[in-house]
Amino acid sequence: MRKVKYVILGAGTSGLTALGMIRKQTDDFVIINGGPLGTTCARVGCMPSKAMIQSANTFYNRSKLNEFGISGGESLEVNTEQVLQRVRRLRDRFTKGVQAGSTDGLSEENFIDGYAKFIGLNLLEVNGQQIQAERIIIATGSRPVVPGPWQVLGDKLLTSDEIFELETLPKRIAIVGLGIIGLELGQALSRLGVEVVGIEMQHTVGGLASPKAIDKAIELFSKEFAIHLGAAAQLETTESGVLVKFGDKSFEVDAVLASLGRRPNIDLLDIEKTGVTLNQRGMPNFDINTMQIDDTTMFIAGDVNAYRPILHEASHEGKIATLNAMNYPEIKSFARKTSLGVAFTDPDIGFFGANYRDLDLDEVVVTDFNLEKNNGRAIVMAEDHGVICLFGDKASRKLIGGEIVMPHAEHITHLLGWAVEQQMTVLDIIKMPFYHPVLEEAVKAALYQLYSQLYSKEERGIEAELTLLK
Ligand SMILES: Cc1cc2nc3c(=O)[nH]c(=O)nc-3n(C[C@H](O)[C@H](O)[C@H](O)COP(=O)(O)OP(=O)(O)OC[C@H]3O[C@@H](n4cnc5c(N)ncnc54)[C@H](O)[C@@H]3O)c2cc1C
């Protein structure tokens, strides 16, 4: 049996963060990765999806050209085969870059290609070899959820793992699940000329939770492709495609994209053999500030723990897990950063800070500001649509979170997320400079609205106006 100080399970974003830190300190480690290298983000996630979205949006912009006095846009064509080739070309560039800076050049001692499983506490098996590790970082990521019965659809059933591999796009597609991934890809495919039908069991899209943001998103996205909410899709194969049944409706498509969420790759690890207790969902107990599982020398980071399954969190958790693995038995608790999320739709959807679902509406003011005809820059850009929903804490008067559906929300989400991270009150933020004419003026208007709801009239009197000048 081989003995090592560190085992890293998974060479994704989280595992590679761990690798980068551990290899600086010691050679006494092994990183084990099952499946293709290059990370989910670069291979089948963030990067190929954004490459496809970029082509789709660039082509879609032809439909706005008349508004700007430019004619001929209607005659532009898209070559979707070339779009897909570009997606893969960029993907290869990104995955090669990731590998060059991480696993390339690792010796056989330090890298094992294979799926590992636990056979005991701190004891793993991979490719028939047993490895005992003093400290283990579990970073095995997640995979798309695909209901078992849907497998009969064969190659007509796609997930984000397959869609970027297509040589040509289907003519008609059903997107089942309109969370962030489904909404991003559904809109992109629609803009590339695919007839898209989106189906979502919940009465929301893009993971939104605040009512005004949900309404606005549904209003805007359903202008581009059919969106059906509130019931599950039933799928049947037909001779020419797939019959999608939804409530009392049905329609035929050539392919289905299952975007029902992602399942953490914890279930295939036999982690119960380590003796740790698992909850009903098969997850071990772990601390989100230390990433430690119970009081073991196992740490769990990235999508596999299902806490915040997005890239920068996978990387951050990889750091926390590795620092604690390296310093064990001294375990340090690290504060988590303000939550941020972006759907790269058009308009973007942004989330920052507190989740609307967790708000106590007796303690929090929720305000919404509509962009329609209310922001000069958005009007000039012909993108005057969207809504900014902000959450302000009544007691502290701090901005604590929000949901935004608006053009370039990816940037606005950062600004407001940073303000939450800095624990700024609404007054602190409106004291900041705002240029003109910019989209941030819509944020300013939303903040002033929140200001008037959180502060009394007296508090907003001339004295307060003077403090704003300071
Ligand atoms: C379509 C799509 C779009 C996305 N867009 C964004 C975005 O815009 N922004 C964003 O922040 N996030 C985005 N994400 C999410 C982001 O990609 C993930 O949060 C991130 O890649 C997770 O990294 P990770 O290290 O946890 O896992 P991964 O990168 O998945 O790495 C896990 C590795 O472990 C391997 N493995 C699994 N089981 C075993 C085993 N038993 N033994 C050894 N190895 C194993 C896997 O094969 C994999 O190589 C997107 C995801 C998808 C699918």
Side-chain angles (χ1 to χ4, degrees), residues 178 196-199 221-222 224-228:
L178 292 175
V196 173
V197 176
I199 301 149
F221 295 114
S222 50
E224 290 194 39
F225 62 96
I227 291 183
H228 300 276

Side-chain angles (χ1 to χ4, degrees), residues 6 26 29 52 57 60 89 97 121 158 173 194 213 253 294 306 325 335 337 403 412 416:
Y6 300 104
T26 178
F29 71 86
M52 183 185 268
N57 291 353
Y60 181 78
R89 202 167 59 242
L121 184 62
L158 303 168
I173 195 167
V194 179
V253 292
D294 291 336
K337 295 182 191 182
E403 292 189 343
I412 307 283
L416 292 175

